[in-house]
Amino acid sequence: MKAVVMAGGQGTRLRPLSCDLPKPMVPLMNRPMLEHILLLLKAHGIVDIAVTTCYLPEAIEAHFGDGHQLGLRLRYFLEEAPLGTAGSVKNAEEFLDEPFLVISGDALTDFDLNRLISFHKEREALATIGLTRVDNPLEYGVVITGADGRVRRFLEKPSWSEVFSDTVNTGIYALDPRVLDFLKRGENVDFSKNLFPLLLGRREPLFGCVLEGYWSDIGNLEQYRQSHYDVLGRRVKLARRGTEIVPGVFAGEGTEVAPGVELSPPVVLGDFVRVEEGVELGPEAVVGDHAVLRSGASVKRSVIWSNTVIDRRAEIRGAVVADRVFVRAGAAVFEGAIVGKGVQIGARAQVKPGVKIWPGKVVDPGLVLTESLVWGSRSPRALFSEAGVSGMANADLTPEFAARLGAAYGAELKPGARVVAGCDDYPAAGMVKQALATGLTSSGVHVVDLGPVVGPAVRYAVQALEAAGGVYVRRSPREDDQVLLEFVDSRGIDVDKGLQRRVENLFFREDFARVEPERVGRIIYFPRAVERYLSGLLLLLDRETVRRAAPAVVATAGASPLGLLLPSLLRHLGCRVQLVEAPPGSGAATPDEIGAETVRSGAALGVLADPAGESLVLVDETGRVIPRETVELLVALLALKQGGSVVAPVTAPGAVEKLAARFERQVVRTKTSLRERLEAERRLRSGSAPYFHTVSDALLTLARILEAIAKEGVPLSRLVAEVPVYHTVREQVPCDWKAKGRVMRSLLEEFGSEEGVDLTDGLKVHPTGEDDAWVLVQPDADAPYFHLVSEGRSLEEADELIAAFRQRIKALEGKSSLM
C-alpha cells in the first residue's frame, strides 16, 4: 500500500515557532513532526510515500531528500497555489495506482494503521475516515456512523448547539484511487468540507473506523507543548532517542551532563548537549541538539530547541524556546511564553507568562516584557559597548557576524590600508579574528596577523607598522564565556564614537563595497610581533640598574602569550624568576598562591597579570596583595618623581591630588573610558611614535615598579607606604532602563547647584561639603544599572555615602515607575 502525507501547512497558529518553517518541520521531541509520521508509516510496512508540499517546500525536501536514510521512497508533489486537502492529493494522482492512505504530516499519533487498512478493504469502501473520540469536538469534523461503520452524518467544526457526537475526523483516510475521479485537477477542494459531503449525498460507500490510541493535530501552541508532556508521560507510544543515563532521563550522542546536575525525570536531551554543574533540569524537559545549559540554570516543564544557550542562573518555566536563542544570565522566561528563533534575551530580563517573541528580536537587559514582541527590530542599541564589540562566540559572534563586521570596518578605510590583528590564546578569539580578517580583505584592506599576542603588542604594532588601525580579540574580562573585540586607531588608542557609529551604520545596512577579485587584500603573518614589542619596551627602561639589583620575582607560568612574554621580560631585566604553576584545571594561580610563594622564596614581589597583558595584580614582599587602585596611585607617584604630570579618571581617590601637590605638579582628570585616559596621557607626553601606554600596559607598569625598587633600594611595601591612605567603595545598583534618565535628572536637580559638583563623567557631588568625601553616580552605557563610587575620611563614611545614594536611586526609580 502507498501513502500520501500532506505537508503543505503554514502552521500560522504555531507562530512564532513556524515563522520560517513549514508546520511539519517544527520539531517535536527533537525531530520534525513529519519525521514521526513517516516512521509511523514505515512501522506499518508503507515505504512508498508521496509528500505534498506548498509552503517552504525546500525546507522539507532538503531535510528528507529521497527518504533513503529512513528506509523510505519519497516523491514530492508541489502545489504552486494552495489546493486544499483533497486537491493536494489529486495533484499526486499519477503516483496513486492502488489503494492508499492519506495522513497529515503535522499531527502526532500512535494509531494502528493496519486496523484502518483492514477495515477499508473488508468494507470495499471508496473512502474510510479514521475516527477518534475527544473531549472537545468543536475544532474538528464530527461524524456519526451506523452499526456497520457507514457514515450517516458529517458536520465540520460545529458549535455546541450542533454537536451530536464526540467522534471526530482525524484527517487520516484509507482511499480507493477511484475517489479521485470526483475531483478536478487544479481546483481547491477539501476532504471534509467538499468531497465527503458529496460522497455522503450520493450514497457512495463512505465509512468511518474508530481507532484506539493517541492522536493530536497539534493545532495551537498549547497543544504543541502538551504533546511533549504526553510523550514524556508515556501517553503516546513513540520511540525514544538516546540512552537512558538514569531512570527516566534519555541523552543523545555526545551529550555531557556534569556532576552535580539535579535531574528530575522525565527529561530528554538531544545530541551533543552540554549541561553544566549546578543546573536544575526537569521534570518534563526536552532539550534540543547542541544546546548549552550553563551553571545554575533551571529548566522545568519546557521545550528547548537546538543550538540554544541558557546562561548562568537563567530560569525557563513552562515555556518553549526555539533554536539559536540566547537567554542571558539571570533572565527568566515564564509559563506559556514562546520565544522565536534567534531571539536574544538580556541579562536579568523577564518574559512574563503567555508572552510571544517573534524571531530575531532583542529583549534588553533588565527589561520586564509583559506584551508580545512582534513588530520592530528591538535590535541592540549599538554594536559597540564602552569596551568594544562583545558577545558569546558562535551565539552572538558567529564567523558570519565577524566577517560582516570586518567588511564594514574595512569599508571605512582606504583600499590598500593595513590593519593589525591579534588575539589571546582563547580558541574562540582566534576563530573570530580569522573571520574578521576575511571580511577586511574583502574590502581591499591588508591584514597584518600577529597571531596570539598581548593587547599592548597590538597597540604598539599599529604605530610601529604605520597601520590604519588594529583589532585585538580576547576573552572578555567581564564574562569568561564571551569574546571582546578592541578596535584601535592609527595611534593605538581606542577608536572614537564617530568611527564606531559609521561602522555600525554600514554593518546594519550591509552597505559596504566588495572590491574586485584582483584588489582583495592580503593576510600577512607577522610572528615576531612579541619580540618587536619587547625590544621597544626594554629601550624605555634603565636595564642596568635593575640587573645590578637582580630582584627576585614570582610569576605564573603557562603557554599563553603572556605566560611566555612575562618571564622573558623579567629575564631580560636580570630578575631572578620563580615560576608558579597553576593548579590543574584552574587556568591560573591565585593571588594568595603567588603571595605565599613570594614570602617563602624571599622574593621582592609577586605578579599576576590578566591574559591580555592590560592589567595586573601585585603582591609585596610580605605577601600582601596590593589593591589595583593603589597600584595606579603608585604608578602616578613614580611619574611624579620623574617630573611628569599624571592622568587620573574621575573615579580615582583624592590621594592622587595629594601626591601631585607634594611634587607641585598637576592632575589631569578624565572620564573613566580607556580612550579618554589614553588621549590625555598622550597629550602630556612628547616624543615620536611608537608610544607605550602605561594606562593599559601591565608589563610596562611592572617594569617601572621594578626599576623604582632597584633605583631607590627599598622594598615594594616601602614604596606603597608613600601613597596616602584613602577609603573608597564601589557598587552597582540595578535600575530599570526607562527610569535611568529620570533618576539622573532628579539627582542633578537635587545636587546640581551645590558647590564642587563635577559633571565630567556622571554626577560627582560632595554631600558633606568636604573635599575628601564624595559620591560619583554613573549610569552604565550598556546595562540597566548605575555605578556608584564613594570616598570618605573613613571606610564607614564611604559605606554610608554609598548606602544613602543607593536608597535615593531606588526611591527615584520607584517614583518613575508610577509616572
Side-chain angles (χ1 to χ4, degrees), residues 384-389 409 412-413 419 459 462 468-471 485-504 673-676 678-679:
F384 285 84
S385 65
E386 195 70 31
V389 177
Y409 177 38
E412 269 298 304
L413 306 174
V419 168
R459 297 180 187 270
V462 167
V471 186
L485 291 84
E486 299 174 333
F487 288 77
V488 300
D489 62 18
S490 60
R491 302 167 299 163
I493 294 176
D494 297 51
V495 297
D496 61 31
K497 296 290 186 184
L499 179 61
Q500 290 178 7
R501 283 192 292 270
R502 293 195 299 273
V503 171
E504 286 168 353
S673 75
L674 182 58
R675 174 181 169 79
E676 295 288 338
L678 292 177
E679 285 275 18

Side-chain angles (χ1 to χ4, degrees), residues 187-357:
E187 285 190 353
N188 189 319
V189 186
D190 193 79
F191 282 114
S192 55
K193 293 179 182 177
N194 309 113
L195 181 60
F196 293 156
L198 175 65
L199 298 180
L200 187 62
R202 294 191 178 189
R203 299 185 178 277
E204 296 288 346
L206 175 64
F207 286 81
C209 174
V210 177
L211 300 172
E212 300 296 330
Y214 181 93
W215 174 81
S216 172
D217 72 340
I218 314 183
N220 55 47
L221 291 164
E222 176 57 37
Q223 290 176 353
Y224 175 76
R225 194 167 58 250
Q226 185 61 46
S227 294
H228 284 85
Y229 300 154
D230 290 341
V231 174
L232 292 168
R234 300 183 183 274
R235 291 180 285 277
V236 52
K237 300 172 187 174
L238 201 67
R240 298 289 179 96
R241 295 175 66 183
T243 303
E244 192 169 17
I245 56 175
V246 297
V249 177
F250 291 80
E253 177 187 356
T255 286
E256 302 174 8
V257 179
V261 172
E262 185 178 322
L263 294 169
S264 301
V267 171
V268 171
L269 304 171
D271 297 336
F272 301 100
V273 175
R274 192 169 86 245
V275 185
E276 296 184 355
E277 186 176 1
V279 167
E280 294 180 356
L281 186 55
E284 297 183 311
V286 177
V287 180
D289 299 345
H290 299 279
V292 178
L293 308 185
R294 309 300 300 272
S295 299
S298 178
V299 177
K300 299 182 179 182
R301 287 182 54 79
S302 297
V303 179
I304 310 295
W305 289 14
S306 62
N307 296 294
T308 281
V309 178
I310 311 299
D311 209 351
R312 295 178 178 88
R313 303 178 306 283
E315 296 183 20
I316 314 294
R317 295 284 184 274
V320 179
V321 179
D323 55 320
R324 302 188 183 281
V325 171
F326 194 176
V327 182
R328 294 188 182 275
V333 183
F334 293 115
E335 190 76 26
I338 309 293
V339 181
K341 178 179 179 178
V343 167
Q344 304 281 316
I345 298 178
R348 302 177 304 282
Q350 293 184 27
V351 180
K352 288 296 188 178
V355 167
K356 301 178 181 67
I357 307 176

Side-chain angles (χ1 to χ4, degrees), residues 516-638:
E516 299 86 353
E518 60 272 13
R519 297 181 63 197
V520 167
R522 292 176 292 115
I523 298 179
I524 305 158
Y525 295 97
F526 191 64
R528 301 191 63 82
V530 171
E531 289 87 341
R532 287 279 297 272
Y533 161 74
L534 183 57
S535 297
L537 179 59
L538 290 169
L539 292 175
L540 301 176
L541 305 172
D542 184 353
R543 286 180 286 174
E544 291 305 317
T545 298
V546 181
R547 281 175 178 156
R548 283 195 298 271
V553 178
V554 175
T556 54
S560 67
L562 179 75
L564 298 173
L565 180 57
L566 178 56
S568 179
L569 169 65
L570 294 172
R571 292 189 178 105
H572 274 88
L573 290 173
C575 297
R576 290 170 287 127
V577 183
Q578 175 69 41
L579 296 178
V580 176
E581 298 287 346
S586 67
T590 66
D592 287 341
E593 290 165 340
I594 294 290
E597 182 59 27
T598 300
V599 173
R600 190 198 66 76
S601 63
L605 59 82
V607 59
L608 183 66
D610 83 302
E614 295 179 351
S615 63
L616 55 75
V617 174
L618 281 182
V619 179
D620 69 15
E621 75 283 357
T622 70
R624 185 171 71 96
V625 177
I626 311 300
R628 181 168 297 179
E629 213 162 37
T630 302
V631 173
E632 292 183 356
L633 289 169
L634 179 57
V635 172
L637 172 62
L638 300 181

